[in-house]
Amino acid sequence: MMPPSLIHINSYPGVGKLTIGRKVGSELGAKLLDNHSIYNVAFALTEFKSDAFYDAVREVRSTAYRLVMSLSPDVPVILTNAHTQDSNWGNECWDKAIELARKTGRQHVLILLDCARDENAKRIQSVDRDAMRKPRDPMMFRQGELDRELIDRGADRLLRLEVTNMSENDAAASIVAWLRNQ
């Protein structure tokens, strides 16, 4: 049996965090809190990267995390993010996720999804991303832009999964199998 978990999927934009997270969540009966569920209020009502933007994200995140704390501890929770080690904002958000896991008695289980740049650049252009206000610009993948290391600290368990040549179903099945065998 899988211990109570906060499953934290971290990867670059366009890799497939939400799609894979939905499939994993469906299989495990988990609650999914996608990063855009938190960020979209700020995107809609404030100027990106302004003080008001960050304050709005903090407020929405605080409300969302309070609701997670009210869930039964045996309900797995999946978070998705795209946070890098060299970002003060990313580290602030990451610390809040670790704190959430501790406060709810859940293990912080980190899933890092890797994807080749050329495939990632193709995936990010999907028109399906518009509905969630997700970036679609393949220019994000210019030399150096993705050389920033993803955050991988603070996890009780860690899985690095190369998804370049995997379907979303296969990636989700690999994650679920790994989680159930821990």
Side-chain angles (χ1 to χ4, degrees), residues 1 4 7 24 42 53 61 80 88 99 102 136 138-139 174:
M1 179 181 219
I7 302 160
V24 170
F53 176 86
R61 180 183 62 215
T80 66
N88 289 336
E99 182 182 330
R102 300 298 175 251
R136 292 185 52 217
M139 293 306 291
S174 294

Side-chain angles (χ1 to χ4, degrees), residues 2-7 24-25 27-33 68 71-79 106-107 179:
M2 194 175 88
S5 299
L6 183 125
I7 302 160
V24 170
E27 183 69 27
L28 298 177
K31 299 291 185 180
L32 172 65
L33 181 57
V68 169
L71 295 172
S72 172
D74 61 334
V75 174
V77 175
I78 300 172
L79 302 179
R106 290 176 170 85
Q107 288 191 359
L179 289 167

Side-chain angles (χ1 to χ4, degrees), residues 8-102:
H8 202 160
I9 302 174
N10 193 29
S11 193
Y12 298 107
V15 169
K17 297 178 296 291
L18 177 57
T19 304
I20 293 167
R22 283 181 177 143
K23 292 177 184 302
V24 170
S26 176
E27 183 69 27
L28 298 177
K31 299 291 185 180
L32 172 65
L33 181 57
D34 178 59
N35 57 323
H36 285 276
S37 297
I38 293 173
Y39 279 74
N40 281 347
V41 171
F43 284 134
L45 302 173
T46 66
E47 183 180 327
F48 183 52
K49 293 189 176 183
S50 67
D51 288 344
F53 176 86
Y54 293 115
D55 289 344
V57 172
R58 286 182 184 104
E59 277 295 315
V60 174
R61 180 183 62 215
S62 177
T63 298
Y65 283 12
R66 201 168 36 254
L67 291 169
V68 169
M69 291 190 313
S70 72
L71 295 172
S72 172
D74 61 334
V75 174
V77 175
I78 300 172
L79 302 179
T80 66
N81 280 299
H83 291 311
T84 59
Q85 294 178 12
D86 63 347
S87 163
N88 289 336
W89 175 250
N91 279 291
E92 175 186 327
C93 295
W94 199 261
D95 290 342
K96 291 294 184 184
I98 292 171
E99 182 182 330
L100 176 65
R102 300 298 175 251

Side-chain angles (χ1 to χ4, degrees), residues 94 98 102 108 152-156:
W94 199 261
I98 292 171
R102 300 298 175 251
H108 184 234
D152 62 359
R153 65 177 171 77
D156 297 306

Side-chain angles (χ1 to χ4, degrees), residues 84-155:
T84 59
Q85 294 178 12
D86 63 347
S87 163
N88 289 336
W89 175 250
N91 279 291
E92 175 186 327
C93 295
W94 199 261
D95 290 342
K96 291 294 184 184
I98 292 171
E99 182 182 330
L100 176 65
R102 300 298 175 251
K103 283 184 175 179
T104 61
R106 290 176 170 85
Q107 288 191 359
H108 184 234
V109 178
L110 176 56
I111 311 294
L112 283 180
L113 301 179
D114 292 319
C115 185
R117 288 183 186 192
D118 58 337
E119 177 62 22
N120 198 175
K122 289 178 196 172
R123 292 179 185 184
I124 202 168
Q125 295 179 66
S126 168
V127 295
D128 296 340
R129 295 177 58 79
D130 284 338
M132 291 291 288
R133 293 187 170 103
K134 293 181 173 194
R136 292 185 52 217
D137 184 3
M139 293 306 291
M140 292 179 74
F141 300 96
R142 290 175 291 195
Q143 184 62 29
E145 296 272 335
L146 294 183
D147 289 336
R148 299 166 55 193
E149 291 290 322
L150 293 166
I151 296 176
D152 62 359
R153 65 177 171 77

